[in-house]
Amino acid sequence: MAMEGRRRRRLVLWLVISAQTMLVAAAAGAKRQAPVMFVFGDSTLDVGNNNFLSGAAVPRANKPHYGVDFPGGHPTGRFSNGDNTADFVAKSMGLKSSPPPYLSLAPNGSSPLLAQTALTTGVSYASADAGVLDSTNEGKCIPLSTQVGYFNGTKAKMVAKKGAAAVSKLLADSVILMGIANNDLFVFAAAELLRGRSAAEQKSDAAAFLTDLLSNYSAAITDLHSIGARKFAIINVGLVGCVPVVRVLDADGGCAEGLNKLAEAFDVALGPLLAGLADKLPGLTYSLANSFRLTQDAFADPKASGYSDVASACCGSGRLLAEADCLPNSTVCSDHDSHVFWDRYHPAQRACNLTARAFYDGPAKYTTPINFMKLAQAS
Ligand SMILES: *[C@@H]1O[C@H](CO)[C@@H](O)[C@H](O)[C@H]1NC(C)=O
Ligand SMILES: *[C@@H]1O[C@H](CO)[C@@H](O)[C@H](O)[C@H]1NC(C)=O
Ligand SMILES: *[C@@H]1O[C@H](CO)[C@@H](O)[C@H](O)[C@H]1NC(C)=O
Ligand SMILES: *[C@@H]1O[C@H](CO)[C@@H](O)[C@H](O)[C@H]1NC(C)=O
Ligand SMILES: *[C@@H]1O[C@H](CO)[C@@H](O)[C@H](O)[C@H]1NC(C)=O
């Protein structure tokens, strides 16, 4: 049956418009929305929170040569020559960079920026020097328990703007990136040295310390879950006995094996801890990234990862450029990318990039039970 001309033209037009709508929808489906990300942790993830803390003892990456390889070449508060691991993880998930530091959005309670930013990109609470324990570097950082409290306050602002149901859904879909406990280990080990404990005493001290640390770590994740977080991307403790500031204490520049053993003991317990929490807390999923093993592998065969120096800092002074912090008057190595470490504590931008890629969709041995990509895509 022939259609009357005008009706047919209208039908054709409708079909074309519908097809375009479907194509647009298909394209949107193909390109996933980047997840909102909330970051908790220490200087390996801090993107500037410490710049807003007062006190002479607060570590801040607010001076040259930090940021020399950042667009513009300025220090940003990141303890890197450019981006850090939080930035590269965020980029791999489709964000432009790490979400911004909480204290840049909430110098006081009244800024509307906080809720807006939390709803669109997320927020970073990471703070250099922070640990799981409130006592770790007390007064010089935002400890984990306070970071969690700030997240809770952020949620209240999000709810006021968007409503409880929308915020529950958004938080459940968000990626929680967390890397912390390195500083607790440093502080514990330094205190043990000063106390001059016997080997037997050190062993029992370490056992008690690890129990506390794991219990508070578990409490923090449980609190985050109670606030609404569900998807956890967790970076374990690295090879802390091999950072330049520790190596320089050894006449031969060797690693502190005792400190590495302590880190390993913590990491070995972290796996079952997370598996236990996932069994207990409804909807909790996680990816545990093995920073310890990744670093071990890189150190065993530096050339395979493109490193010519895995022991010294690129920016600093003295032996291994590790006798002082990276300061405006420091020596800076010529090839920033060839060093694992930028300053005497922190990895350089390229190492951060390799790390994030390994955790996002690299070899299966570096993440348990799924990688960061699968975690981000899980619903
Ligand atoms: C709070 O922060 C906002 C935005 O940064 C600023 O405009 C305002 O003056 C601040 N208020 C107080 C009391 O510091
Ligand atoms: C750690 O846990 C202990 C008890 O297990 C608690 O007293 C303490 O307040 C917790 N605090 C932190 C975050 O250090
Ligand atoms: C978050 O804030 C709410 C409301 O103030 C409070 O009831 C709850 O205990 C807080 N949760 C955590 C984990 O701090
Ligand atoms: C660099 O400057 C600091 C003071 O900011 C000073 O203590 C240090 O001795 C200087 N280091 C070098 C290598 O000149
Ligand atoms: C990080 O690595 C990727 C892949 O090699 C590269 O495309 C990108 O430019 C690197 N980013 C930076 C800032 O170095």
Side-chain angles (χ1 to χ4, degrees), residues 280-302:
K280 198 171 76 179
L281 302 174
L284 188 146
T285 53
Y286 69 95
S287 168
L288 173 57
N290 200 339
S291 164
F292 191 94
R293 179 153 185 199
L294 181 69
T295 316
Q296 254 181 342
D297 289 353
F299 287 6
D301 187 1

Side-chain angles (χ1 to χ4, degrees), residues 157-231:
K157 295 232 179 307
M158 295 164 78
V159 168
K161 198 173 160 83
K162 265 274 149 85
V167 170
S168 287
K169 165 136 183 43
L170 185 131
L171 291 183
D173 290 339
S174 302
V175 170
I176 306 299
L177 176 64
M178 186 154 140
I180 196 151
N182 300 290
N183 290 318
D184 301 286
L185 300 188
F186 282 131
V187 166
F188 169 78
E192 287 288 286
L193 274 181
L194 285 177
R195 288 170 77 194
R197 303 283 273 171
S198 72
E201 287 167 335
Q202 280 188 32
K203 210 169 162 187
S204 73
D205 289 352
F209 163 71
L210 286 177
T211 302
D212 273 359
L213 197 58
L214 289 158
S215 136
N216 283 27
Y217 201 104
S218 171
I221 291 179
T222 305
D223 283 348
L224 289 169
H225 178 272
S226 79
I227 296 167
R230 292 293 178 271
K231 303 205 281 189

Side-chain angles (χ1 to χ4, degrees), residues 105 107-112:
L105 305 165
N108 56 54
S110 65
S111 168

Side-chain angles (χ1 to χ4, degrees), residues 6-89:
R6 206 142 58 113
R7 251 185 77 200
R8 190 168 54 195
R9 271 201 305 279
R10 240 192 260 148
L11 179 63
V12 168
L13 189 64
W14 181 85
L15 283 172
V16 167
I17 290 172
S18 304
Q20 276 171 349
T21 310
M22 283 186 283
L23 281 176
V24 168
K31 191 178 175 302
R32 289 188 69 91
Q33 175 75 43
V36 164
M37 186 179 289
F38 295 93
V39 184
F40 300 83
D42 57 28
S43 55
T44 57
L45 303 176
D46 188 352
V47 289
N49 273 313
N50 275 27
N51 283 352
F52 295 88
L53 296 179
S54 53
V58 172
R60 295 181 203 89
N62 61 354
K63 49 185 136 2
H65 304 273
Y66 289 105
V68 283
D69 298 316
F70 204 81
H74 300 298
T76 63
R78 290 166 175 79
F79 290 78
S80 164
N81 49 317
D83 284 331
N84 69 16
T85 302
D87 293 303
F88 287 115
V89 169

